[in-house]
Amino acid sequence: MLRQVLLVMSVCCALLVPKPGAAGEAVPTQVMVRAIAKDAKIIGTKVGGVRVTIRDAASGKVLAQGMAQGKTGDTKLIMVEPHAHGASLYDTPGAAGYLATLMLSEPTVVEVIAEGPLGHPQSTQRASKTLLLLPGRDVLGDGVVLEIHGFTVEILEPAAAGRLRRGEELTVRARVTMT
């Protein structure tokens, strides 16, 4: 039992030790962020992309901000095939994401925020996740995956400039898709 505890403690300590560099020296740390729709694919450029913000959780300071843009990912891999534990789902060529490079000098708890889809302001939602980043320990591949719930609703008919009269019949057509 003691042997197992010591093994776990040594592994934890190894994870907390930053990559080589002078004490207190900031080292580049890459973080990939992807936003997905609930039970669906990656939110991509076609619907306006997603705004990503990474903040220091303690101070609120913005460490990085940008747009996750690109394609919605591999439909067969994400939506059809069974998922193996630990297998990459979203890290495919052209898949939407935002790659941030943070300069970290110490382990830092961050809040990662995604807001989108930006092409449909009436449907914009926000998701966030808090995690510990270690200097020089990149978070790549699928990266930090944030799930945004909701639907994108596009009114197709009636036209926005149309006028209605009381008692007049109205036809409404809309396109509703998962965000």
Side-chain angles (χ1 to χ4, degrees):
M1 177 69 174
L2 179 59
R3 190 181 215 180
Q4 291 172 330
V5 169
L6 291 173
L7 177 63
V8 169
M9 288 176 60
S10 64
V11 168
C12 290
C13 289
L15 290 173
L16 290 175
V17 175
K19 286 188 175 177
E25 178 185 328
V27 295
T29 306
Q30 292 188 312
V31 179
M32 171 57 73
V33 181
R34 301 182 198 276
I36 63 169
K38 172 75 173 145
D39 291 329
K41 295 171 55 177
I42 303 169
I43 299 172
T45 304
K46 198 170 188 179
V47 292
V50 175
R51 180 183 309 108
V52 175
T53 304
I54 302 175
R55 297 180 192 271
D56 180 309
S59 69
K61 178 183 175 189
V62 173
L63 302 176
Q65 190 168 40
M67 294 291 295
Q69 295 186 330
K71 297 180 181 177
T72 60
D74 182 328
T75 301
K76 184 176 178 186
L77 182 63
I78 297 170
M79 304 298 293
V80 178
E81 294 177 355
H83 303 164
H85 179 71
S88 181
L89 293 176
Y90 308 109
D91 186 26
T92 56
Y98 169 65
L99 182 60
T101 300
L102 310 176
M103 296 304 291
L104 300 178
S105 58
E106 62 186 14
T108 306
V109 176
V110 298
E111 179 184 20
V112 182
I113 304 160
E115 298 171 288
L118 298 177
H120 302 278
Q122 76 283 1
S123 300
T124 298
Q125 299 289 318
R126 177 181 171 155
S128 66
K129 186 178 281 189
T130 303
L131 65 143
L132 175 67
L133 294 178
L134 303 173
R137 301 283 181 171
D138 298 333
V139 180
L140 299 172
D142 282 354
V144 177
V145 178
L146 298 170
E147 188 174 70
I148 294 182
H149 297 255
F151 292 97
T152 298
V153 179
E154 296 175 78
I155 304 298
L156 303 174
E157 196 178 315
R163 293 207 168 242
L164 301 175
R165 292 189 204 123
R166 177 175 262 166
E168 183 178 356
E169 192 171 302
L170 173 66
T171 300
V172 176
R173 287 186 338 113
R175 178 180 304 126
V176 180
T177 56
M178 291 196 287
T179 295

